[in-house]
Amino acid sequence: MENAIIIRYCEIHLKGKNRGFFEKLLKENIKRSLKGIKCDFIPMHSRYLIENFDDSDYDLIVEKLHKIAGIHTISKALVVDSTFENIFEAAKTLVAEKEGTFKVITNRADKTFSPNSMETSRLLGGKLLELFGKKISVDVNEPSFCVYVDIREDGKSFVYTDVEHCLSGMPVGSAGKGLLLISGGIDSPVAGYMTAKRGMKLDCIHFHSFPYTGEAAKEKVIELTKKVGEYNGGINLYVVSFTHIQEAIHKHCPEEFMITLMRRFMMRIAERLAIQQGDQAIITGESLGQVASQTIESITSSNSVVTMPVLRPLIAFDKIDIIEIARKIDTYETSILPYEDCCTVFLPKFPAIKPNLERVKKAESKLDVEGLIEEAFKNVEKYVF
């Protein structure tokens, strides 16, 4: 008996004549993720197979597969030559570790194999019950586990009991490229993960306010970017100096518009960088009504300075929902580290919650917008992960 990992996809099945494009991209993403791990990667009909790997690498392989968008489920299977005796030996090995109710499900692609699917399931279930009857029983309606038998046409059979759900979604790179505004908070890394899961390849931009925010704050964002990059097949981070813009707003504009004007500058800079890097959309972690800068009026104000699509995957999420996903993707503990980001600098006591766009434009007219943006682009740091 040999070990194998079966990889399945789901939504790609719906892509009709374009299905080959998505399959090829998913295959490339899997192979890239497993680079450096000794194993054989075998494309099969509607699935992929990983064989000839060291058992000590199994957990690492599974960890990587769980971070690849487009993979629906995986199973660790025993591979045997297709005889009933071999299949029973594999099933016996797996069920020895189980207890509870079970049923056997057989798929017989090799129609020359005898007995047929239903008879194989019946005979195999009977022999397993005879051997392990003290700790297992049959329940064909709601079993606590299943024994799956997949009899292939090449003379090999896969036997397995566990099906692990993965990210699902679409392969990264299948939905173009986007630029994520990433802060040190909880929301933006989750927004990046959600967008990558739908197939968009990400770059990241972060606005740094040295000396008001220190190196620890930047390192926090770097760590968050790396974690998002694990779901993105690697990632680029651009760190933009924002201090001079905040100081100019603080000096020349009404305090209540501090956050509103900051967001407008961030969007302008993000759009310009996105165009330079070939990104097709801007992504933010905004959730409607969560804070002053995320009311519909504030969103309208920041949207008005760009023409590029702005994606807000968390717009209707509650904070509890966002935190749950942040914990799942291992960004939460990093996000709550007590280092300030640029949005906490020069915070007004009473920010405009529903800023009037004409008043915002009037306040902004006191600034050399183009000059401030040009200054920001003089000191862009790039990190490649």
Side-chain angles (χ1 to χ4, degrees):
M1 287 182 285
E2 298 178 353
N3 289 321
I5 300 172
I6 303 169
I7 302 171
R8 310 175 191 88
Y9 54 76
C10 182
E11 195 171 339
I12 292 175
H13 284 292
L14 306 176
K15 293 304 177 181
K17 294 180 180 179
N18 294 320
R19 179 168 157 180
F21 164 76
F22 293 93
E23 290 177 327
K24 181 176 182 290
L25 195 54
L26 178 58
K27 179 176 70 174
E28 290 172 352
N29 290 348
I30 295 171
K31 291 175 72 173
R32 185 184 302 112
S33 180
L34 298 181
K35 186 177 180 180
I37 300 175
K38 186 178 179 181
C39 62
D40 291 334
F41 178 80
I42 305 167
M44 300 174 64
H45 179 65
S46 299
R47 64 183 121 177
Y48 306 104
L49 192 67
I50 298 175
E51 290 186 315
N52 300 322
F53 55 88
D54 193 304
D55 285 345
S56 63
D57 287 330
Y58 173 74
D59 289 340
L60 177 61
I61 292 171
V62 168
E63 179 185 347
K64 288 181 176 294
L65 294 178
H66 271 281
K67 294 179 178 179
I68 299 175
I71 296 178
H72 180 53
T73 60
I74 60 174
S75 296
K76 185 179 183 181
L78 293 176
V79 185
V80 296
D81 291 331
S82 293
T83 68
F84 183 84
E85 292 74 19
N86 288 341
I87 292 170
F88 170 65
E89 287 299 317
K92 184 173 70 173
T93 300
L94 296 173
V95 175
E97 303 173 357
K98 301 284 187 179
E99 60 181 32
T101 58
F102 82 104
K103 76 173 181 178
V104 180
I105 300 174
T106 302
N107 175 53
R108 188 176 61 120
D110 180 5
K111 301 306 180 184
T112 67
F113 181 88
S114 182
N116 64 27
S117 298
M118 291 187 65
E119 189 67 6
T120 297
S121 294
R122 186 184 71 80
L123 291 172
L124 190 58
K127 288 179 71 68
L128 291 170
L129 195 60
E130 181 181 331
L131 189 61
F132 299 110
K134 291 184 178 181
K135 63 174 186 174
I136 64 172
S137 60
V138 173
D139 184 346
V140 297
N141 295 315
E142 294 184 1
S144 54
F145 71 94
C146 293
V147 178
Y148 298 94
V149 180
D150 192 356
I151 304 169
R152 307 306 303 163
E153 294 171 316
D154 60 359
K156 298 288 186 180
S157 291
F158 303 139
V159 185
Y160 56 96
T161 56
D162 297 319
V163 177
E164 295 184 39
H165 283 269
C166 297
L167 280 187
S168 294
M170 300 301 294
V172 167
S174 63
K177 285 182 64 185
L179 180 64
L180 172 69
L181 274 68
I182 189 164
S183 68
I186 297 170
D187 301 343
S188 54
V190 174
Y193 159 79
M194 296 289 289
T195 312
K197 183 180 175 182
R198 293 308 307 163
M200 181 165 279
K201 182 72 175 176
L202 301 177
D203 289 321
C204 292
I205 182 171
H206 173 67
F207 297 95
H208 187 50
S209 298
F210 184 81
Y212 301 106
T213 58
E215 284 299 310
K218 186 165 72 173
E219 288 300 321
K220 173 183 174 181
V221 171
I222 287 173
E223 182 62 25
L224 289 172
T225 303
K226 289 179 180 179
K227 289 181 179 293
V228 174
E230 292 176 6
Y231 298 91
N232 191 59
I235 202 163
N236 297 329
L237 169 66
Y238 300 89
V239 179
V240 177
S241 178
F242 203 63
T243 309
H244 64 291
I245 294 175
Q246 290 177 284
E247 289 175 338
I249 296 172
H250 181 66
K251 180 177 180 181
H252 298 290
C253 303
E255 182 186 35
E256 63 182 300
F257 292 134
M258 184 74 197
I259 295 173
T260 304
L261 294 175
M262 280 171 49
R263 294 296 295 182
R264 286 165 66 88
F265 271 96
M266 288 178 181
M267 296 296 275
R268 289 186 177 102
I269 294 169
E271 182 177 55
R272 190 169 300 187
L273 180 65
I275 292 170
Q276 290 177 4
Q277 302 307 319
D279 296 310
Q280 300 155 288
I282 296 168
I283 304 132
T284 79
E286 291 166 302
S287 173
L288 190 60
Q290 188 178 123
V291 295
S293 64
Q294 296 175 26
T295 63
I296 192 62
E297 290 84 1
S298 293
I299 289 172
T300 299
S301 171
S302 59
N303 269 18
S304 69
V305 298
V306 296
T307 59
M308 185 172 284
V310 181
L311 308 183
R312 295 178 170 89
L314 307 184
I315 196 67
F317 279 50
D318 294 334
K319 194 68 175 184
I320 294 173
D321 301 327
I322 299 170
I323 289 173
E324 183 178 343
I325 298 172
R327 291 186 186 278
K328 173 185 172 183
I329 63 174
D330 192 33
T331 57
Y332 178 75
E333 294 300 329
T334 304
S335 291
I336 62 174
L337 291 173
Y339 304 124
E340 294 183 332
D341 60 28
C342 70
C343 293
T344 62
V345 179
F346 300 123
L347 275 180
K349 291 182 179 179
F350 303 103
I353 297 174
K354 298 182 178 182
N356 177 275
L357 188 55
E358 292 307 313
R359 290 186 62 203
V360 170
K361 290 179 179 179
K362 182 178 179 181
E364 196 174 65
S365 68
K366 300 175 183 178
L367 303 171
D368 178 10
V369 173
E370 191 60 31
L372 291 169
I373 292 173
E374 289 292 335
E375 182 68 23
F377 272 92
K378 289 180 181 178
N379 297 294
V380 178
E381 299 175 80
K382 180 180 179 180
Y383 299 84
V384 179
F385 306 115

